[in-house]
Amino acid sequence: MKIIARDIPPRAAWALEQAGVHPLLARLYAARGVRAKDELDDGLGRLLPPSGEKGLKGIDTAARLLADAMAQNQRLVIVADYDCDGATACAVGVRGLRLLGSQQVDYLVPDRVTDGYGLTASIARRVAERGADVLITVDNGIASVDGVAEAKALGLQVLVTDHHLPGPELPAADAIVNPNQPGCPFESKSMAGVGVMFYVLLALRAELRARGVFDAATQPKLDPLLTLVALGTVADVVKLDANNRRLVAQGLKRIRAGQMPAGIAALFHAAGRKAPMATTFDFGFALGPRINAAGRLADMTLGIECLLTDDAGRAAELAATLDGINRERREIEGGMREQAMLMAESLFDESEEPPPAISVFDPDFHEGVVGIVASRIKDKLHRPTFVFAASSAPGKEHELKGSGRSIPGFHLRDALDLVAKRHPGVILKFGGHAMAAGCTVAEESFDVFEQAFAQVAQEWLDAATLTRRIETDGPLAPEYCRADIVDTLHREVWGQGFAPPTFSEEVQIVSQRLVGEAKNHLSLKLIHQGNPVDAIWFGHTEQLPARVLLAFRLDVNEWKGERKVQFLVEGAQV
């Protein structure tokens, strides 16, 4: 473990402070690449334009296709995905198309177990059976060459909206909107699937305006959809570049003002979070997991219906169901995580470093939770990790479905691509991003995959990359150790690629004890710059020396009306 302070360009920090930015925020923003105050403007007018020279490739074609379909009252069916990004993208699509005048919009969600990921030929047939004229994918489709071909053969028009990396062949869709497709000049390559669908709606509204369906004064407002865009963007852990931060900031502002769909309000209530004080943390760790749980263990239709309903009673009912499924998910995950961690730790002796990559499989693992468990192992051992479960799909019992999570410096999808090229036939299918990916292998090929994946990691990773590093914002001045400052920090947009403020300092440990039902959290009383502060290190059980360099985030603990700052420990360098 190495704790490293970020470089803070003094000139940029000074310029931001001179422009009126709070001194602490000026320092934090400068360390994250912000050079001028106007970069912090999160107004809608600062969003990248959908069309034009630097717009999304294919978006004007998509807008014309949808406008024509709506003019002829054609039936539109959205094929969603079973994670939070897919669910919010579907809800944005359904709500937005209805707002813009479509009379016939329906959706279909693949089943994680029986259908697998993306638009398959069988899903295309199910869409056709529903009497669809136009099939729209959200958060999937860029790799669905066969599925799109089947849809076209059935006479459907196909619009693919996606953000995943394309394979060697693009599907023969009528229109493709994906910032990562070849030749797309759109600057925000990190937009989530829900953001792409929102942009398609912006372009469609402009097309309908050009056709005289409505004018600037009478056009429907699409900004209420930004609450869903913000949730899906954060939950999908995409990089929060400037455009994504604006989308998220706009959604947060509306939620804090009480302007949100009934389902989002109900999810805040079910999670015990306060919407007027909504943060990106709520999206990533409270609402997102509850929606994701439906896709992992049940049917994502529950999550989408929760986001679509305008009936507060129905929303509360669905949110309570999602909360219950999430509790079940946590129980399953707990047992699986313990077993998977034991298997991973059995791969090396206590005195040794872990292998460069880890792959584990157990016949009793649940395929809906493998990604979360892979993430937990990756976090603890700091190694690219795949966790596999036996497929529950009929006729696929001898296939293993794996989900992987990576560490900085190791592109997971590219690693799978290399394994597939070196060992043809071992990986039946794969896809994903740099930091998260999935693949299917035959059960008898697991050992070959495990060795081949570890071999790629051995070649690509060096000692520096394999050493866990925590980047921090350096020491925290004692005058900023206040509840109101913590509130100010929490109101800002932080996340992937725009890390939440984390500080580091040598502190004196006064006392420490294990707390929690399972005694698996370390509660600390420490002295920070001469002042007593409480701290907690979740999931950590080893005692710390009397003086230690800690990396920590700030939080507020409320007890009997008193609000006190506490440190959330991220790591320690002894």
Side-chain angles (χ1 to χ4, degrees), residues 68-90:
D68 289 346
M70 285 163 59
Q72 296 162 41
N73 196 27
Q74 290 186 335
R75 187 169 181 77
L76 314 175
V77 173
I78 294 172
V79 174
D81 183 30
Y82 39 69
D83 69 356
C84 187
D85 185 19
T88 50
C90 181

Side-chain angles (χ1 to χ4, degrees), residues 495-513:
Q496 185 71 22
F498 204 79
T502 303
F503 303 96
S504 57
E505 236 161 314
E506 188 173 286
V507 297
Q508 180 188 339
I509 307 292
V510 177
S511 68
Q512 49 191 318
R513 63 192 176 94

